[in-house]
C-alpha cells in the first residue's frame, strides 16, 4: 500500500514517514500544497494524509479539487483545529477521517488501517434497485436512465443504503460507515446529507426509494 503524506512541518513529516514505513507501507512525501497536489493528482496512492495549513495550496483546496476530479482514495485530514464546525466542514468536503494535532501515532495507525480496510472492502458490483443503478467502479449513478450528479459523500451514503436494501440503518451506523467516526448527538450531518440525497434521487421521480423510520434511521427500498 502506498501512502502520500502532505505535511509542511519537517519533523512531523519525517515522524509519519518513519512510522508508516516501519509498519510496512510505502510512503511518498510533500512539504507544500502545490507539490502535494501534483503528486496526489498524477501519482498512484492508496491513502492520502493531508495537513490543512500548508504553504501554497492549502488542504481545503487540495481536498476539494481531488474530489471534484474524481479521485476517490481515502483522505485523512490532519489539523490543529478541534471545533465541531471544522470537523464537519472537512468531512462534508470529502475527507474520510479527521485527526487533531497533537496525536498519538498508534491512533493514526489505527485510523489508517481502518480506512484502507474500508477501501479494499468496497464492492465492484453494480447495484440495481428498482430503476436506480449505482456503479461504484466508475462512480456513476442514474435513475430511469437519467444521470444523477452526486458528491462523493452522497454517493457513499447512497451506496451504503443500497448495499443493505430493506435494512433500517441507524444514524450512528451511517456516520461510522460514511465518515469513519461517530458524531456528537447535536450534529445533524447525516440528516442533512440524506435530505440532499433525496432531492436528487427521489424528488424528481414518482416512486420514492429512501424512507425514514422515525426514531431509528433510514432505509432504501421500493414502495409496496
Amino acid at each position: 500500500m502506498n501512502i502520500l503524506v502532505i505535511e509542511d512541518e519537517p519533523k512531523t513529516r519525517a515522524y509519519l514517514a518513519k512510522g508508516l514505513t516501519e509498519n510496512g507501507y510505502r510512503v511518498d512525501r510533500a512539504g507544500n500544497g502545490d507539490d502535494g497536489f501534483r503528486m496526489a493528482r498524477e501519482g498512484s496512492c492508496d491513502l492520502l494524509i493531508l495537513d490543512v495549513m500548508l504553504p501554497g495550496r492549502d488542504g481545503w483546496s487540495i481536498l476539494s479539487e481531488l474530489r471534484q476530479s474524481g479521485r476517490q482514495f481515502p483522505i485523512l485530514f490532519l489539523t490543529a483545529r478541534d471545533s465541531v464546525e471544522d470537523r464537519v466542514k472537512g468531512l462534508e468536503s470529502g475527507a474520510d477521517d479527521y485527526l487533531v494535532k497533537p496525536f498519538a501515532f498508534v491512533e493514526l495507525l489505527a485510523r489508517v488501517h481502518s480506512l484502507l480496510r474500508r477501501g479494499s472492502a468496497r464492492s465492484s458490483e453494480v447495484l440495481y434497485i428498482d430503476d436506480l443503478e449505482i456503479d461504484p467502479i466508475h462512480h456513476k449513478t442514474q435513475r430511469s436512465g437519467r444521470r444523477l450528479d452526486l458528491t462523493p459523500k452522497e454517493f457513499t451514503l447512497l451506496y451504503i443504503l443500497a448495499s443493505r436494501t430493506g435494512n433500517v440503518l441507524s444514524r450512528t451506523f451511517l456516520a461510522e460507515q460514511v465518515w469513519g467516526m461517530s458524531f456528537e448527538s447535536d450534529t445533524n450531518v447525516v440528516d442533512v446529507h440524506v435530505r440532499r440525497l433525496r432531492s436528487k434521487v427521489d424528488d424528481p421521480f414518482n416512486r420514492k426509494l429512501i424512507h425514514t423510520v422515525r426514531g431509528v434511521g433510514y432505509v432504501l427500498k421500493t414502495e409496496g
Side-chain angles (χ1 to χ4, degrees):
M1 290 288 188
N2 186 46
I3 297 176
L4 172 60
V5 175
I6 307 178
E7 164 64 60
D8 66 315
E9 208 288 310
K11 289 185 178 179
T12 303
R13 191 168 63 246
Y15 169 71
L16 291 173
K18 182 176 183 294
L20 291 168
T21 301
E22 289 175 348
N23 280 273
Y25 296 105
R26 177 187 170 191
V27 181
D28 294 319
R29 290 175 276 179
N32 64 73
D34 294 324
D35 289 344
F37 176 70
R38 176 183 52 79
M39 293 170 68
R41 183 185 57 190
E42 300 175 1
S44 176
C45 71
D46 298 292
L47 182 142
L48 170 61
I49 298 176
L50 176 62
D51 189 21
V52 173
M53 303 305 296
L54 295 165
R57 191 185 297 259
D58 66 19
W60 296 116
S61 65
I62 291 174
L63 172 63
S64 176
E65 292 199 37
L66 287 174
R67 291 314 193 207
Q68 289 176 13
S69 67
R71 301 297 193 277
Q72 295 303 315
F73 46 72
I75 297 178
L76 172 60
F77 236 11
L78 299 181
T79 181
R81 304 175 67 171
D82 190 26
S83 70
V84 171
E85 292 78 11
D86 284 327
R87 277 181 281 162
V88 171
K89 178 183 176 181
L91 294 166
E92 287 189 334
S93 298
D96 295 276
D97 205 348
Y98 195 107
L99 191 57
V100 177
K101 298 178 179 179
F103 53 84
F105 181 78
V106 65
E107 181 181 4
L108 178 134
L109 191 62
R111 296 190 182 214
V112 166
H113 288 165
S114 176
L115 289 173
L116 290 173
R117 281 198 305 270
R118 283 160 50 195
S120 63
R122 289 171 184 163
S123 172
S124 61
E125 180 182 356
V126 177
L127 298 180
Y128 299 92
I129 299 92
D130 199 281
D131 56 348
L132 177 68
E133 177 181 335
I134 306 170
D135 182 351
I137 290 296
H138 300 98
H139 212 263
K140 294 180 179 179
T141 308
Q142 60 181 10
R143 186 166 182 191
S144 294
R146 183 192 305 181
R147 175 77 177 268
L148 305 180
D149 184 19
L150 305 182
T151 67
K153 287 304 179 195
E154 289 167 354
F155 183 91
T156 302
L157 178 58
L158 179 62
Y159 186 82
I160 294 295
L161 288 165
S163 64
R164 296 164 175 80
T165 301
N167 295 323
V168 181
L169 305 181
S170 70
R171 291 170 177 82
T172 299
F173 177 83
L174 291 170
E176 291 172 347
Q177 291 295 308
V178 178
W179 288 272
M181 62 181 292
S182 296
F183 284 89
E184 287 77 1
S185 58
D186 61 347
T187 302
N188 66 343
V189 67
V190 175
D191 296 329
V192 169
H193 274 75
V194 169
R195 284 199 297 271
R196 293 174 181 170
L197 192 58
R198 277 177 165 153
S199 72
K200 300 175 182 180
V201 174
D202 275 348
D203 289 356
F205 305 93
N206 292 326
R207 294 192 304 279
K208 309 307 177 185
L209 298 179
I210 302 172
H211 305 274
T212 302
V213 179
R214 191 175 299 277
V216 182
Y218 297 99
V219 58
L220 191 147
K221 64 178 182 179
T222 57
E223 293 179 315

